[in-house]
Amino acid sequence: MRKIFIKGGNPLNGEVAVSGSKNSALAIIAASILLPGKTTIRSVPNLLDVKTILRVLRALGLRAEYSASQHNTVEIWNDDVKHVAPYELVTKMRASFFVIGPILARKGLAKIPLPGGCAIGSRPVNLHIKGLEALGAKVHIEHGFVIVKAGKLAGGRVCLDFPSVGATETVMMAAALAQGWSIIENAAREPEVVDLANFLNKAGAKIVGAGTEEIKIEGVSKLNPVEYRIIPDRIEAGTYMLAAAITRGKVAVKNVIPDHVESLIRKLEEAGVSLKVEENSIEVHLPDGIRPLDIKTMPYPGFPTDMQSPLAALLCLAKGTSVISETVFENRFMYVHELNRMGADIKLEGQSAIIHGVTKLSSAPVKVCDLRAGAALVIAALAANGESLLEDRDHHLERGYENIASKLKGLGAEFKIV
Ligand code: UD1
């Protein structure tokens, strides 16, 4: 259990540097299974989820080392890979399932536990499976494991029913070593998908169209060892932008790719936040009150589901009523009851949160139920009167925010993790 104490009311001021993208790191580390020899990945955030995926790789027989002092570098040595992934790790972190594509491509066979549900919904893997079947794999589910067999994967065409990030990545990784061409239609366009394609292409893959809704992959017989630096984390960047706005401070968020947070920039401007956007930094300041917003989460380039709870925290203090509709996950409003304990006025209607703005939030003991809910509670607590206690039983914040305590303290927040 982590206890996080936050005394609200201090305007945040100064500069904060964003770390490497968690979601890119998880996919790229899984993809290193495809590469024989040594892979070096830089700018990998020092997070619990990264430690978990490295443990998965070790359980599969790879050597994987992390060095925070050497520019957050992961080194992976890959001779052979086992085909069975461990139950306790895959069920602990859903992204561990992403090893299915690379293992199948390398071994012609993979046995991966079904990840099961999690705090934000049931999270099925049917689209990953559909994609692998399109490449010629035979799939069956037995005793809680997905068993995929292919011998040598052939190229194929898959049209995803929904532009799932994970399914797009699974198919891209598997198709990289398949025989012939593969096409993914209705592919996810998230920057992390593009980052994975850039990593694979640097290693010798032939992938075009990542970042659009049609990705074409010409399979190659072998990939080569590679060194790669991953992109900055757009969700972490957005979280600090919102923390700056709600505390009415002035913060320059550094090491950000403004294009990747474009939908948030537009919404914050609409809410009255002043933003100075430069090549890789965004300065955030709230000159007057917060205007209410209507938001619908969508796949990229729409407004990201991972940003809706942190934005909801800001909108608690808007002058008027905001509506947030969640279209990506079915259960992403668990944080609402906790924000209401801090004096917010939010009602749930189906897949929408109706947020009536209040003039102040007050500190309270609250529970962190998932990673982005944790971010919302931190943002609310930074603006609340008095000291809040966030009980983070499963260390959610450390799953997604590198050095959050020192980054926020560097901006003037009173923030303590025990
Ligand atoms: C990734 C991100 C997560 C982000 C999400 C959406 C990682 C490690 N995580 O998760 O932070 O919130 O994208 O941007 O990159 N779905 C199916 N069948 C499938 C796969 C997905 O129905 O086989 C559904 C999911 O239940 C969900 C929707 O598709 O409702 C989107 O999920 P997806 O894009 O796959 O998210 P993840 O890749 O799991």
Side-chain angles (χ1 to χ4, degrees):
M1 156 82 96
R2 287 279 193 261
K3 289 187 173 183
I4 300 155
F5 296 90
I6 303 173
K7 194 147 171 241
N10 293 1
L12 300 189
N13 282 301
E15 285 184 13
V16 62
V18 171
S19 301
S21 160
K22 167 179 85 75
N23 288 349
S24 272
L26 296 178
I28 287 172
I29 290 171
S32 70
I33 292 172
L34 292 164
L35 279 57
K38 183 178 165 196
T39 301
T40 306
I41 312 165
R42 301 198 198 282
S43 198
V44 177
N46 192 2
L47 298 170
L48 272 185
D49 278 9
V50 166
K51 292 190 176 110
T52 304
I53 193 80
L54 292 177
R55 283 175 63 200
V56 174
L57 257 55
R58 287 184 200 115
L60 291 168
L62 279 68
R63 202 175 125 209
E65 280 173 18
Y66 184 81
S67 165
S69 57
Q70 294 292 316
H71 308 287
N72 284 16
T73 298
V74 165
E75 290 177 307
I76 295 160
W77 291 264
N78 181 356
D79 294 321
D80 196 11
V81 58
K82 294 179 192 157
H83 73 277
V84 186
Y87 169 80
E88 67 284 359
L89 293 177
V90 178
T91 47
K92 186 182 163 109
M93 183 186 73
R94 183 187 153 81
S96 314
F97 189 81
F98 296 1
V99 297
I100 193 166
I103 297 178
L104 179 66
R106 274 290 296 276
K107 302 291 286 183
L109 169 70
K111 186 174 171 190
I112 315 292
L114 276 167
C118 73
I120 61 173
S122 62
R123 305 191 78 174
V125 289
N126 58 314
L127 299 175
H128 297 245
I129 291 174
K130 181 180 169 181
L132 294 175
E133 283 174 337
L135 304 185
K138 296 272 173 287
V139 183
H140 70 282
I141 294 173
E142 203 176 82
H143 305 302
F145 279 77
V146 180
I147 300 165
V148 257
K149 292 183 189 163
K152 180 78 185 155
L153 283 167
R157 176 186 286 264
V158 60
C159 179
L160 296 175
D161 303 322
F162 182 89
S164 152
V165 174
T168 303
E169 293 175 341
T170 287
V171 179
M172 220 160 66
M173 291 189 267
L177 289 183
Q179 249 160 5
W181 279 94
S182 299
I183 297 178
I184 310 173
E185 288 166 1
N186 199 25
R189 291 184 276 165
E190 270 69 0
E192 295 76 21
V193 170
V194 179
D195 209 24
L196 174 63
N198 288 341
F199 167 79
L200 290 170
N201 283 342
K202 196 169 180 201
K206 293 188 175 164
I207 302 172
V208 290
T212 75
E213 55 205 29
E214 185 174 273
I215 301 178
K216 290 187 182 154
I217 305 133
E218 186 183 356
V220 295
S221 56
K222 185 170 169 290
L223 297 173
N224 309 309
V226 76
E227 277 194 40
Y228 191 77
R229 177 179 296 278
I230 61 172
I231 55 170
D233 196 302
R234 63 196 165 101
I235 308 299
E236 189 199 7
T239 303
Y240 288 113
M241 288 162 68
L242 290 164
I246 202 168
T247 62
R248 308 189 69 108
K250 193 185 241 184
V251 172
V253 179
K254 301 278 183 182
N255 191 35
V256 55
I257 299 175
D259 276 357
H260 292 175
V261 286
E262 180 70 22
S263 60
L264 178 65
I265 290 175
R266 295 284 156 258
K267 282 295 170 189
L268 287 180
E269 282 172 346
E270 210 181 309
V273 178
S274 143
L275 298 145
K276 198 162 123 204
V277 179
E278 289 177 356
E279 201 182 330
N280 6 63
S281 88
I282 303 176
E283 190 182 80
V284 182
H285 168 61
L286 178 69
D288 297 307
I290 303 157
R291 290 196 287 269
L293 295 174
D294 274 355
I295 307 242
K296 196 184 249 190
T297 64
M298 300 286 273
Y300 191 85
F303 192 86
T305 173
D306 286 350
M307 222 57 257
Q308 67 98 334
S309 47
L311 182 65
L314 178 74
L315 295 177
C316 288
L317 294 176
K319 288 184 183 146
T321 300
S322 304
V323 179
I324 297 186
S325 302
E326 172 62 52
T327 74
V328 179
F329 289 108
E330 76 263 33
N331 193 17
R332 250 200 155 164
F333 287 122
M334 303 276 280
Y335 65 89
V336 160
H337 310 293
E338 302 301 306
L339 283 181
N340 282 346
R341 299 192 69 250
M342 299 178 75
D345 180 359
I346 311 177
K347 293 194 174 53
L348 289 177
E349 278 182 20
Q351 282 304 308
S352 296
I354 319 294
I355 307 173
H356 300 291
V358 294
T359 52
K360 64 178 175 53
L361 293 169
S362 61
S363 58
V366 283
K367 287 192 171 36
V368 174
C369 55
D370 74 62
L371 166 55
R372 304 303 169 190
L377 295 172
V378 168
I379 288 168
L382 287 169
N385 287 336
E387 187 176 68
S388 297
L389 163 61
L390 278 58
E391 288 185 350
D392 187 359
R393 216 188 55 176
D394 295 323
H395 302 199
H396 284 298
L397 275 175
E398 287 153 74
R399 290 185 40 224
Y401 291 92
E402 184 181 54
N403 300 334
I404 187 167
S406 60
K407 287 188 185 185
L408 282 174
K409 282 196 278 192
L411 295 172
E414 290 186 53
F415 186 103
K416 195 169 70 188
I417 299 189
V418 181

